[in-house]
Amino acid sequence: MSAIEKLMLAGDHRQPVRNGEVWLVGAGPGDAELLTLKALRVIRQADVVVFDRLVSPAVMALLPPEALRIDVGKSMGCHTLSQKQIDHLLVELALSGNRVVRLKGGDPFIFGRGGEEMVELQRHGVVCHVVPGITAGSGCAAASGIPLTHRDYAQSVRFVTGHCRNGEVNLDWRGLVSAGQTLVFYMGLTLSETIATQLIRHGMAAQTPLAIIERGTLPQQRVLTGTLSELPTLIARQRPVSPSLLVIGEVVSLYRAPAIVSEMPTEALTA
Ligand code: SAH
């Protein structure tokens, strides 16, 4: 028996749940090997899994075959279920006695509306556990070889949402432009032109290096690099698709495109 299997058995507390409970689980940025051991154990014990568009096929393959899967996948502007309906669904599933896993891309509490779901569950007296995940910002950057806070270049990092309501984005641009700070924009593709224009207008050098990490940690990952002023052209020419992140700051100059992809040999995870 492998060390991981022993650990999982030791943590297996499968007992009937009286009122049902919900586990808000972070699925990480995509590569299934970036799941935590705890996430894997909890997923394997689920009766029902309510999942998002961002959960990768590799992670979905780890769900127990008998678990009911409910896709509440959201892509920008196109919601399968409203947030209110998702909250309601989670409450109902739990109160009917199910062991519910709410599986979300990255970390459930980073731009994932996991906080709202937790509050709603608590309001209805449903026990809610949270299993953190590797958020796309740190996971995709690290896996691409971009050290977000290399101390020669950055003393802080900001995770920022580029999600807008009615085409408007309301950000503290002045606060975002600060020496020694790396910016990571989630959901920033649509607004990339505004992001570049506003940052430059508020004093960021047009030559600041930036990277677009498209489908980070997935087999289709692409890393596109350029400077802040080149952002609109980069997007027009390369047409990155969702999910993508923008990383802006001097640390991006440390990025080196991999010449040969070599990986440590690994045993494949099996369900
Ligand atoms: N809770 C998630 C973020 C949800 S917001 C987390 O912690 O990672 C969704 C945004 O995350 C996407 O629009 C994209 O900007 C980013 N994202 C998520 N997965 C990604 C990936 N594999 N590669 C690049 N960006 C990703």
Side-chain angles (χ1 to χ4, degrees):
M1 190 187 292
S2 75
I4 290 189
E5 277 167 342
K6 276 188 203 148
L7 206 147
M8 291 192 43
L9 272 182
D12 191 339
H13 55 263
R14 221 184 212 294
Q15 291 154 4
V17 190
R18 232 177 296 134
N19 289 324
E21 296 185 4
V22 175
W23 280 259
L24 275 178
V25 178
D31 179 350
E33 288 185 318
L34 296 178
L35 272 181
T36 63
L37 291 175
K38 188 163 187 167
L40 184 57
R41 175 171 62 77
V42 167
I43 286 171
R44 283 181 166 170
Q45 297 175 355
D47 298 319
V48 187
V49 179
V50 179
F51 65 97
D52 274 354
R53 178 185 60 98
L54 276 178
V55 178
S56 69
V59 170
M60 291 302 293
L62 298 171
L63 301 186
E66 67 280 7
L68 175 67
R69 299 155 191 229
I70 303 180
D71 181 0
V72 292
K74 287 192 252 177
S75 52
M76 286 251 258
C78 158
H79 289 200
T80 308
L81 288 184
S82 70
Q83 187 60 46
K84 225 179 162 145
Q85 288 170 316
I86 296 174
D87 296 345
H88 182 70
L89 177 70
L90 294 174
V91 170
E92 288 300 307
L93 286 168
L95 293 180
S96 348
N98 289 295
R99 200 184 302 265
V100 184
V101 165
R102 171 68 173 115
L103 193 55
K104 302 174 86 77
D107 181 90
F109 284 173
I110 302 280
F111 304 131
R113 303 189 77 169
E116 291 163 55
E117 291 171 11
M118 179 188 72
V119 169
E120 218 27 49
L121 289 162
Q122 290 168 342
R123 207 168 65 81
H124 287 84
V126 175
V127 176
C128 175
H129 312 265
V130 184
V131 181
I134 297 181
T135 188
S138 62
C140 299
S144 317
I146 301 176
L148 291 177
T149 61
H150 185 298
R151 70 175 184 164
D152 292 346
Y153 301 87
Q155 289 68 52
S156 68
V157 57
R158 297 273 297 265
F159 289 167
V160 188
T161 172
H163 185 51
C164 57
R165 285 191 183 187
N166 315 322
E168 302 257 327
V169 65
N170 226 345
L171 290 171
D172 169 21
W173 298 107
R174 198 173 301 279
L176 290 177
V177 180
S178 160
Q181 177 163 269
T182 307
L183 301 180
V184 182
F185 279 90
Y186 289 65
M187 300 172 278
L189 271 190
T190 332
L191 278 184
S192 55
E193 199 149 350
T194 311
I195 291 170
T197 313
Q198 291 287 8
L199 290 176
I200 292 171
R201 185 172 296 157
H202 288 83
M204 188 176 277
Q207 294 311 309
T208 307
L210 75 82
I212 300 173
I213 308 179
E214 179 195 42
R215 298 170 170 168
T217 81
L218 294 163
Q220 312 90 331
Q221 167 171 308
R222 276 201 302 169
V223 180
L224 312 168
T225 53
T227 63
L228 189 53
S229 58
E230 290 166 352
L231 181 56
T233 327
L234 197 61
I235 289 192
R237 291 216 180 119
Q238 302 288 340
R239 300 188 178 282
V241 295
S242 183
S244 286
L245 285 168
L246 306 179
V247 184
I248 304 173
E250 294 302 328
V251 292
V252 176
S253 62
L254 296 170
Y255 171 74
R256 298 287 175 270
I260 303 165
V261 179
S262 66
E263 289 212 333
M264 298 267 287
T266 50
E267 283 173 32
L269 285 173
T270 46

